[in-house]
Amino acid sequence: MSGTLLLHSLLVAVGATLLAMGFGLLAALAVWGLPPVWQKLAAIVPLTNALLPPFLLANAWLGWMASWRAMQSPEFLEWTNLPLTAAALGGLLWPIPSLVVFQALDRIPAVQLEMESSLIGWSLIRWLVWPAVRPVCQSVAPLLLVLALANFTIPTLFQVRVFTEAFWVRFNTRLDPWDALSVAWPLMVLPLLLLILPQHRCFRFSRSVRAAHAPLVRRRLGGWFGCAAAPVSGWLAVVLFGPLASLLLARRTWTELPGAASAGQSAWLQSLSTSLIPASTVVLLSSLIVGLQRQPRGPRLAWLLFLTPGVFLGVLAIELFNRPALFAFYQSSAIQWLMLTLRYWPLGWAVVAAFSDPMGGVHSDAARLAGAGPWGRWQVSRLPLVWRPAMAVWLIIVCLCLWDVESVVLVQPPGGETLALRIFNLLHYGHANQVNALAIVLLATALGIGTVLLLAVAGLAPRRPQSIGVPLRSAVALPFLIAGIGFFASGCRPPDGVEASQLKSTVFSAVQVIGSRGTAPGQFNKPRSLVCDRQDNLYVVDMTGRVQKFSSSGEWMLQWQMPETDLGKPKGMGLDPDGNVLVVEPHYQRINHFNTNGQLVAQWGRKGTAPSEFILPRAIAVTSLGEYLVSEYTVVDRIQRFTVTLPHPDSSVALPQGRPSTVIPYHFQGFWGEPGLNPGQFNRAEGLGIDSHDLLYVADSCNHRIQVFRSDGQFVRTYGHAGRGPGEFSYPYDIKVDELGRQYVCEFGNSRISILDANDHLIETIGGHAAGAAPGEFANPWSITLNSAGDLYVADSQNHRVQKFLRKRGRSLASANVGSLLTSIPSAGFAPGAP
């Protein structure tokens, strides 16, 4: 653990705690002076803030500062991101102290204010308010510190090196849990200390005294009431109302909503199952545990599951379940259900226990004396008290699971991408409008579930509290009925068997699997880009920052590490006219030329939005004339064209220290494209493909289409739209064209490869019925490439492997009877280094 990492983590966590505590205190003080009706309405604000997805705030702030951030140096952004991250975390955590402090203030009786007539303004705050709230503040502040340290989403999106982000990067790079834990071990120790040390009871759910009257409070506070309300209003505008306005009022949010919703159907169904099933399981487990206790008490050490970062639990799950005997479980949605159930179980248990028996077991003892068994005692003495809180906490956990990223990001099985994970991947590279559109879908889902629950509970609840019968039991069973709907809606299927491993194709004869998850030679961690050289050797780059070379038969040959990976990993590969391997580094805004032995031959590019400068270059293609075409996205969505003068093969390239600028001459020839939805405009331009006539095919990912241009930028045509049917796409990430004009489209969202003819007519699809792990199936493929024989390689990202599809020999497209009955083709398993 480095000193810089410790300093950054403390600055962010302490800053977030101070901001959350400060604005939470001010908000509680302002609400304390409101009339009772307005107090209830005002309580909706922090509850709404607490239940909104955390990425809404990050998306709004990143969108507001996108142009400014694009032009700043990494060194400057590293320090400016620290206060931004602290402020964002404070914006997520302030509802906790505001609600807790208001409960403490609300217990101050009016008679105390009436008797102490000299307590006005600052004297009131010093001698009455602060003594009343100090105990709860002393308990809440350490909790906020732990929650801020454990947050994964916000620091990762702002690219701030704190414990959770360093743990994530280290594990993704090396896949060694103990090595990753060595840089983030305080995240395990601090929650344990928080739970061991004695704490003041912050929440009390009943009032023993009459609360103070609002007019009396306002008179005694004097000018301090306005001093509290003014900064709170500004704070809410920045952390709540501003992001909501950006979400709801942006025109492109609603323009992109139909396509995003259509392309995200499978992810939406997965979100349903991974929210309804864990929430229902939590309520069931909590009710059973509390029902067996004579004097119900909430969890203590079990809170470690909630307070430690979700990525820690993900790594633990990998170590426990990534084994041959448990592979069927590990490769199914059940692993996500388990992770979310464990993470939110302490929350459900604590709420059910808090409401189950306020009389200290008296109700349960009376039922026991009446001869009731355990089930009868629970039904008579506990159920009437807990069913409403249980329904409320069920809905809260559903919302938390809907936008949970960190608990499932490392254990995402094939087909396990949720809308929250899709948003996280998109948000990491900008695209505020696409994120807003998917967030609308998530919020509408949560609102719909909540509405159905409220209507059903209102209809099923008994008219008299003492009436315990079928209606009340039906209300308690309602979440489990909804969870059953989520289970079947998720498209759950048994583990892949023999049938799932069969390949049907008119183009390919067999499939070979190269690699598995790991960091050893021949293994991958989310391969993202690949290319074949002139000898048909394969080069693959993955999340470890390595470039690995394989022979044409799939045998591992060599590897080299990219020199810098702190800002991000490479994404995008190609081949230059001299046969060198091109590797694009989006976060370093540069293009690298490596010879086939892994030696750096040339490097060029610099950061900026002006012509000849790069902002997150994504892919590169080279025309027959030797011109380089580079796609970019985020602040700019465009294609730039260059000519490059490579050094003589005998010369060496001296790389400067730190972030290099232009190392070799490259000459800007022009660009085209801008952000938008119309032909010629782009919305996250991803992969590029060149055909034999130098036509450029662009995978316009977030527009769910392919656009075709001449190499000089002249628009030719476009086709495709969002969906799963023929001619429809879901986030196409790459495209390649063979010598016959056949187009191979890699669809990240649909987990399939679509093959089209030269006239854009669909020939067939490989995969796509459902994401899977059998040969011929995919889970979020990122990139594709073709070798000289027409064989297709696919970077099967979420399966941590590369698949090679062997082209049928001696049969052209013209002679292929596309409409004939497809025959099953045996798949050939392949392991690196196998004879």
Side-chain angles (χ1 to χ4, degrees), residues 253-265 422 434 437-438 702-704 721-723 729-731:
T253 297
W254 303 100
T255 304
E256 297 191 23
L257 178 59
S262 179
Q265 293 178 24
R422 180 167 292 183
Q434 191 77 189
L438 292 175
C702 290
N703 281 330
H704 314 287
H721 56 272
F729 304 116
S730 175
Y731 298 98

Side-chain angles (χ1 to χ4, degrees), residues 547-559:
V547 180
Q548 298 189 70
K549 180 180 180 181
F550 298 84
S551 69
S552 59
S553 60
E555 295 180 353
W556 182 87
M557 300 177 67
L558 61 88
Q559 69 181 32

Side-chain angles (χ1 to χ4, degrees), residues 268 271-273 275-276 279 391 394-396 398-399 402 441-457 478-479 482-483 486:
W268 178 75
S271 294
L272 276 183
S273 73
S275 59
L276 298 175
M391 296 300 99
W394 178 85
L395 184 58
I396 291 173
V398 165
C399 293
L402 273 176
V441 176
L442 270 183
L443 290 174
T445 302
L447 184 61
I449 293 173
T451 302
V452 170
L453 179 67
L454 291 176
L455 292 176
V457 169
L478 180 65
I482 300 178

Side-chain angles (χ1 to χ4, degrees), residues 19-34 38-39 42-43 45-47 49 90 93-103 105 133 217 221 224-236 239:
L19 286 171
M21 289 297 302
F23 283 101
L25 284 167
L26 292 176
L29 199 62
V31 173
W32 190 36
L34 296 177
W38 288 99
Q39 285 183 359
V45 175
L47 290 174
N49 197 127
L93 297 175
W94 75 270
I96 299 176
S98 71
L99 294 173
V100 173
V101 170
F102 177 73
Q103 286 286 326
L105 292 175
V133 304
V217 170
L221 284 176
W224 286 94
F225 178 77
C227 292
V232 168
S233 300
W235 175 254
L236 291 176
V239 302

